[in-house]
Amino acid sequence: MSLSARLALRLGTLDLRADLEVQPGELLALLGPNGAGKSTVLRCLAGLASIDDGRIALDGIVLDQVAGDSELEHVASDIFVEPEDRPIGVVFQDYLLFEHMSVLENVAYGLRSRKVAKADARRRAAEWLDRVGLSEYAAARPPALSGGQAQRVALARALATDPRLLLLDEPLAALDVGTRASVRRDLRHHLESFEGIRILVTHDPVDAYALADRVAILDAGRIVQSGTLAEVTAHPRSRYVADLVGVNLVTGRVDDGVLVTDANAKVVVADAAPGPSFAVIRPRSISLVRDLPRGTSARNAWHGTIVDVDRLGDRVRVGIDGPLPLTAEITVDALAALELRPGDEIHATAKATDIEVYPA
């Protein structure tokens, strides 16, 4: 049994169309830039937002389905299971603990909303507080908790209802840098004891690396890439992933050993099959020169204007705008020798053999 979801929703400027398949015991991390639709996906799964088209099924039970669904034309009527009736637990980014309730009452809240008797709900809530190491705070109110403790209470509240699907929306975002690493370790420990399906929304690749079995990259409402984090970052297929790993991603079509972009920029490549392709140019593979020396006709050379100079230790990242926007990484000595400033014109060069190409 698994989660199978096909989501279509228009919300303001967001046009979301995403398919998800997640197995029990698996943790899928949704990564992507702000506004990509990550939290909206979670809201649809939880029943807090209605889809315009598609189908959501958990363990073979349909939770949301639209009549006349484009891929299920025989469906005669809508299906929508209310949030409180879905076997789903949610940990919100800001935890959303009730400040007027004790920690114990907060954990019991989900059970009580599902008509569990008060005594039984409090007993099960106490068991979960013990599991997350917060029994001594049962009578405390949320304002008395640290960020890490509040996160554990929110997690206990979500898990106390024995959900089949656990949704975590940026569960570490509210924490300061000093406590995030330790809380991440605690979270991993508690998630390992949960045998259901888990989906984590995060903007931090460290969270994905530490917690997830698989990642899906959501960009502008579309899942553009999925796999392990290592697989995704090894061959970026979106600008977001390229920026994530600090490389230049160029998209175009390869013919006769030259990749041509939509802006008609040309990249000479080596050993690349013809057709739509991605090319990765690593910043350290790029050299910068004020004037092109003789004999560069066999190499890539692109003219542009410097828009950003960012020093990182003994290295400098130089942003270049032009027909082929690039980021180069050079030494501090090279920066001083070239006397580079934003607004200066520059030539960027790279060897064809230093450029990795793969089909789009």
Side-chain angles (χ1 to χ4, degrees):
M1 309 301 277
S2 63
L3 170 71
S4 177
R6 191 176 68 259
L7 313 173
L9 170 67
R10 284 188 176 273
L11 187 64
T13 60
L14 175 66
D15 179 16
L16 175 66
R17 294 184 179 275
D19 293 356
L20 295 174
E21 296 282 343
V22 193
Q23 302 302 316
E26 182 179 29
L27 195 154
L28 174 71
L30 285 179
L31 281 168
N34 291 335
K38 303 185 300 297
S39 293
T40 302
V41 168
L42 260 59
R43 290 180 59 81
C44 289
L45 295 174
L48 300 174
S50 299
I51 57 176
D52 297 331
D53 194 13
R55 185 174 186 265
I56 301 171
L58 181 61
D59 293 340
I61 299 173
V62 177
L63 303 179
D64 203 344
Q65 185 169 270
V66 177
D69 170 27
S70 57
E71 295 190 23
L72 294 170
E73 295 182 358
H74 63 281
V75 174
S77 60
D78 290 351
I79 296 174
F80 183 81
V81 176
E82 295 294 335
E84 62 270 21
D85 296 324
R86 299 188 181 200
I88 296 174
V90 184
V91 177
F92 296 97
Q93 179 175 339
D94 296 324
Y95 311 137
L96 299 183
L97 299 178
F98 301 112
E99 295 190 359
H100 66 286
M101 293 183 179
S102 70
V103 165
L104 181 69
E105 291 168 336
N106 266 278
V107 177
Y109 178 82
L111 293 164
R112 296 283 291 137
S113 67
R114 286 167 168 77
K115 312 303 182 185
V116 175
K118 182 176 181 180
D120 192 28
R122 290 174 65 86
R123 177 186 60 78
R124 289 164 63 179
E127 290 174 354
W128 269 102
L129 284 177
D130 184 57
R131 291 173 70 170
V132 299
L134 291 175
S135 293
E136 61 188 286
Y137 292 92
R141 299 290 175 89
L145 303 177
S146 68
Q149 290 168 338
Q151 188 230 54
R152 280 186 278 165
V153 172
L155 181 63
R157 180 175 62 185
L159 293 176
T161 59
D162 294 324
R164 286 292 297 138
L165 171 62
L166 178 65
L167 306 175
L168 303 107
D169 190 3
E170 298 274 13
L172 301 171
L175 304 176
D176 60 72
V177 176
T179 61
R180 188 172 299 171
S182 61
V183 175
R184 186 187 293 117
R185 287 194 298 270
D186 288 342
L187 179 61
R188 181 174 61 210
H189 170 73
H190 295 305
L191 290 178
E192 285 174 349
S193 66
F194 177 65
E195 297 179 354
I197 299 163
R198 299 157 293 176
I199 298 180
L200 165 74
V201 161
T202 181
H203 68 279
D204 190 340
V206 176
D207 294 344
Y209 180 80
L211 301 171
D213 303 298
R214 184 165 56 92
V215 301
I217 306 301
L218 193 66
D219 200 350
R222 304 291 189 275
I223 293 179
V224 296
Q225 200 170 358
S226 64
T228 66
L229 190 62
E231 290 169 344
V232 166
T233 56
H235 292 96
R237 305 186 74 85
S238 70
R239 180 70 59 190
Y240 169 79
V241 178
D243 291 343
L244 197 67
V245 295
V247 299
N248 298 287
L249 181 68
V250 183
T251 307
R253 181 179 180 84
V254 172
D255 287 300
D256 298 325
V258 178
L259 183 147
V260 181
T261 72
D262 290 341
N264 204 36
K266 295 178 174 60
V267 181
V268 178
V269 297
D271 301 323
S277 302
F278 292 108
V280 168
I281 308 174
R282 290 174 172 77
R284 292 197 182 198
S285 298
I286 298 173
S287 298
L288 300 181
V289 292
R290 289 281 191 177
D291 299 300
L292 287 175
R294 294 180 181 179
T296 59
S297 58
R299 303 175 63 192
N300 288 302
W302 307 283
H303 179 264
T305 302
I306 295 175
V307 293
D308 187 48
V309 177
D310 187 16
R311 182 167 175 172
L312 302 168
D314 62 349
R315 307 289 297 185
V316 180
R317 290 176 72 87
V318 181
I320 304 164
D321 191 24
L324 187 69
L326 294 167
T327 296
E329 187 172 316
I330 61 176
T331 65
V332 172
D333 290 342
L335 178 72
L338 290 167
E339 299 181 343
L340 299 180
R341 299 286 188 278
D344 290 354
E345 294 190 4
I346 198 73
H347 289 89
T349 69
K351 297 178 181 178
T353 52
D354 288 340
I355 300 172
E356 183 179 1
V357 184
Y358 44 93

